[in-house]
Every structure is written in structure tokens, then in C-alpha cells.
Amino acid sequence: MPDVRESSRRVVARIEAATPPGRDRAVDALRALAILGVVGGHWLVTALVADSGTVRGASPLGYLPHLAPVSWVFQTLAVFFLVGGMVAAGSWASARKRGVPYGQWVGGRLARLFRPVAAVLVVWTLAAGAMLVSGVGEPTVLALAKLVWSPLWFLLVFAGLTALTPLVARLHPLWPLAVVLHVDLVRFGLGGPGELGWINVVAGWLVPYCLGASVARGGLRDRRNGWALLLGGAAAAVSLVLWAGYPASMVGVPGGRISNLDPPTLAAVAFGLAQCGAALLLLGPLRRALRRPAAWAAVALVNLAAMTVFLWHQTAMIVVTASALLVAGEPLPGLHTVPDGVGWVVARLLWLPVFALALLVCWAAFRNYEQGGRRRSSRSLLVREWSPGPSPERKQVVRRA
């Protein structure tokens, strides 16, 4: 035990020493919370039901609609796009000051984003082919592959917004918000085509992205702005759910008449504004808390593995589910059974540490793809080419080491 403690202290000390003095640690903390929220949400609301030799996807929200508040806690994509806007806008401003051309800047950012994606696609393409050849039914293979590949949609949107940062960084968030409002009015109020909603895939996430870019430029620093977003967004989201017919769940529910997320609706965007307000209010407390080296080390380690965690968390759940079924020989509660009762929820909570352990194995196996395929120094890993904008404590551009 003393050796473990001493090793932990050394790791914490190395991370603290590698962190530039001007880095806004609170921004990294928000990114970590957003990623962990998505992972936890998927693990809680996704079920793989083993039935008559096949596996199909299901959701406890379809059987237990009163659990909808769970989605309010774990649907944190708006915070991820808020941070993305802050980081990309700051990074582009820094690149322009140093004379870095647009092609080099965007190429580097997209390479860091998609390099680990390639590993997932290759592994799961081979796995799907192997399952089909071995006699696994096509519905089962499709259900598993969909769990792994469908969350990747947001990376395409995120990559597109990143590439458009020079154009959208100064766009006022009210413009994309107005687009979302009018799209929903046409879709739901005037009976327009449902395909029109796909405009909101870009416009909906552009709202928090533009908010983040505004923060990077030094805007929205007043806490009154955070409270206005939090209270106004929450009031709008609740009103839309209670009186406009939007679903209470902020994630898609199989069989639901409307999905708030696929594509994003006005209710989801309003809820995202509330989340962004809460995130802005948290920046100050997080900065103070992360002055502690141990707390910052935990946040830094999550950020170093953020893409690997996101890309492989569904695979970890699938591996545990399949392995347990093979070993037990029968469906297990919370893992293979229909999620139609409180017993399933309690059982699923008990499985979460097992999912986390499997994810740790995936991280150990594939982390090098996120880190560029080679071992780097702790400083080059921790220091990214972006500036979070002037914080209350400092006004310093953080450049890549």
C-alpha cells in the first residue's frame, strides 16, 4: 500500500509540473464531466435483451417513463459542444497569431479527433464479419453494431463545426436558435416533412458551440449570464414538455413518437442552454477546487483518455453482456432481461463497476491511437494547442509544448 501511495503521489506531481500556469483547468473538468455523463447515461438507459437466441436493444425509459429525469442528468452533449466551441475558437485565435495556416490547423485538430475512430471501425468491421461467418444472426449483429457506431454521429457534427470555426466563431447563438425554433414550428405546428428536422442536427448543436466561442472571446463572464441561461433554458424546456407535447426524456426512446435528440428538438436545445448556464456557473468553483494537484490529476487523466472512453464504452458493455451470457448459460437480471421494473435498475447499477473494469481494459489496449500511436512525454500529452481565453486569474495563451 505505501508503494501504491508513493506511485500515486509521483504521478500527481508529474501532472502538476507538466501543466502550464495559464491553463484553465475548469474547462478540462467540464469536458470530463460531459464525457462521463454520456458514458453513464448510455450504460443506464441501454439494455441488450437476450430472447430466443437473438439479442435486441431496449431502453428502461420505454418501460419506466417516470425515470425520464435520469436523462436530464446524463444527457450532457450540450456541455461537450460548449467546451468544443471554447477550445476551437481559442485555438484558432492562437493559430492566427502564430501565422499557422487554416489547413494545417484544421488538419491537426481533425486528425486528433478521427485517429482513434479508425481503430473502432476496423475492429468492429472485423468483429461483425466474424460473427456473421460463425452463424450469429443478422439482427443480433446489427443491434450490437448499431450500439457502437450510432454514437459516432455526433463526431461528424463536431468535426464539421470545428472545420467551420473561422466562420461560426463570431455567430450569435440566437441565429441557430431561431433556425431550430422555425424548423420545429414547421415540423410540428404546420405538419411539415419530418426530414426537415435534420437541419437541427447542425443548428441545434451550433447553439452551445457558438456560446462556447463567445466565452473564448471573453464574453458571458458575468454570473448573471449563467443564471439567465440556466433559469431561462430550464423554464423553456419545462414549458415545452408540459404544454407543447415534447417528450420528457432528453434522449431517444425506442418506439417513441418524437425523439428529443434524433434530431435535436427545441426542447433539447432549451435544455442544453440550461446546462450551459450551469456549466458557466461552475467555472469559478471548479477553478478553485482544481488548485489541488490530486483533483487536477484525476481530471487530466480523464481528458487524456476522453476519446478512447467515449469510443469504447459501448464495446465494454457488449463484451460484459456477451461474456456473462456465455458463462451463465441463461439471461441475467440487469444484463439480458427486459428493463421493465425497479429490479432491473438495481441490478444494472450493480453491473456498472464491471462495465468500468472492461472499459479500463479497452483503454489499455487502444489508448495509443488517441495519443498518436506513440508514447509521448507527460507534458506534450497534457498541453494542447488551445487557449481557453482570459480567465479571472490569468490572461495567457497556452501553446503546444
Side-chain angles (χ1 to χ4, degrees):
M1 185 64 71
D3 291 339
V4 173
R5 290 177 179 174
E6 182 60 31
S7 298
S8 299
R9 282 195 289 267
R10 286 198 295 266
V11 170
V12 169
R14 285 200 299 268
I15 292 174
E16 183 69 19
T19 304
R23 189 177 185 93
D24 193 340
R25 302 179 180 193
V27 175
D28 294 276
L30 290 179
R31 183 195 290 112
L33 289 173
I35 288 292
L36 294 179
V38 171
V39 171
H42 281 163
W43 283 353
L44 286 172
V45 303
T46 303
L48 288 171
V49 180
D51 184 19
S52 303
T54 63
V55 173
R56 59 181 176 85
S59 172
L61 297 176
Y63 296 91
L64 306 167
H66 57 278
L67 293 181
V70 172
S71 68
W72 306 346
V73 177
F74 291 100
Q75 203 287 77
T76 52
L77 285 176
V79 177
F80 189 89
F81 279 92
L82 173 77
V83 173
M86 295 170 68
V87 171
S91 174
W92 173 238
S94 173
R96 290 184 64 187
K97 289 180 180 178
R98 292 180 286 114
V100 177
Y102 169 77
Q104 180 181 339
W105 174 80
V106 75
R109 298 199 70 82
L110 294 185
R112 290 197 295 271
L113 185 64
F114 284 114
R115 188 185 297 115
V117 174
V120 176
L121 294 177
V122 169
V123 168
W124 267 96
T125 298
L126 295 175
M131 285 188 286
L132 290 172
V133 170
S134 64
V136 177
E138 184 176 335
T140 297
V141 176
L142 289 176
L144 298 180
K146 183 179 179 181
L147 283 180
V148 175
W149 291 341
S150 60
L152 301 184
W153 66 264
F154 106 93
L155 290 179
L156 296 176
V157 179
F158 189 81
L161 295 183
T162 299
L164 292 173
T165 295
L167 296 177
V168 304
R170 294 188 176 274
L171 183 67
H172 197 287
L174 285 178
W175 288 108
L177 180 61
V179 172
V180 174
L181 170 63
H182 285 86
V183 166
D184 274 18
L185 281 175
V186 173
R187 289 173 63 201
F188 303 130
L190 302 177
E195 292 77 11
L196 194 64
W198 294 108
I199 296 174
N200 286 352
V201 172
V202 175
W205 299 120
L206 191 55
V207 174
Y209 194 87
C210 290
L211 280 173
S214 177
V215 174
R217 297 194 305 270
L220 301 175
R221 296 290 179 178
D222 195 316
R223 288 181 63 84
R224 288 176 294 184
N225 293 316
W227 281 111
L229 287 170
L230 173 58
L231 298 178
V238 170
S239 298
L240 290 167
V241 170
L242 292 179
W243 297 299
Y246 286 88
S249 173
M250 290 300 152
V251 298
V253 179
R257 183 178 61 88
I258 299 173
S259 169
N260 271 325
L261 199 58
D262 189 22
T265 65
L266 183 61
V269 174
F271 178 74
L273 289 174
Q275 284 188 319
C276 290
L280 294 178
L281 291 171
L282 280 173
L283 284 174
L286 285 173
R287 290 184 183 114
R288 292 189 292 271
L290 293 175
R291 291 170 185 164
R292 297 173 55 199
W296 164 238
V299 169
L301 290 173
V302 171
N303 273 274
L304 291 178
M307 280 297 295
T308 303
V309 167
F310 176 80
L311 292 171
W312 292 96
H313 74 279
Q314 294 287 59
T315 298
M317 184 186 71
I318 291 171
V319 169
V320 172
T321 303
S323 301
L325 187 60
L326 290 174
V327 172
E330 61 181 5
L332 298 176
L335 209 56
H336 315 106
T337 53
V338 177
D340 58 357
V342 176
W344 184 93
V345 175
V346 173
R348 172 50 63 100
L349 291 173
L350 296 176
W351 282 108
L352 294 186
V354 185
F355 294 166
L357 182 61
L359 180 56
L360 183 62
V361 174
C362 292
W363 169 79
F366 297 101
R367 60 178 177 170
N368 285 341
Y369 292 96
E370 183 170 2
Q371 299 170 6
R374 63 186 183 276
R375 188 174 183 85
R376 300 181 184 180
S377 69
S378 59
R379 183 172 179 83
S380 65
L381 285 174
L382 284 169
V383 183
R384 307 274 183 176
E385 191 183 62
W386 63 270
S387 167
S391 68
E393 294 84 3
R394 305 174 182 89
K395 187 176 181 181
Q396 175 179 341
V397 174
V398 181
R399 295 185 177 180
R400 190 173 187 174

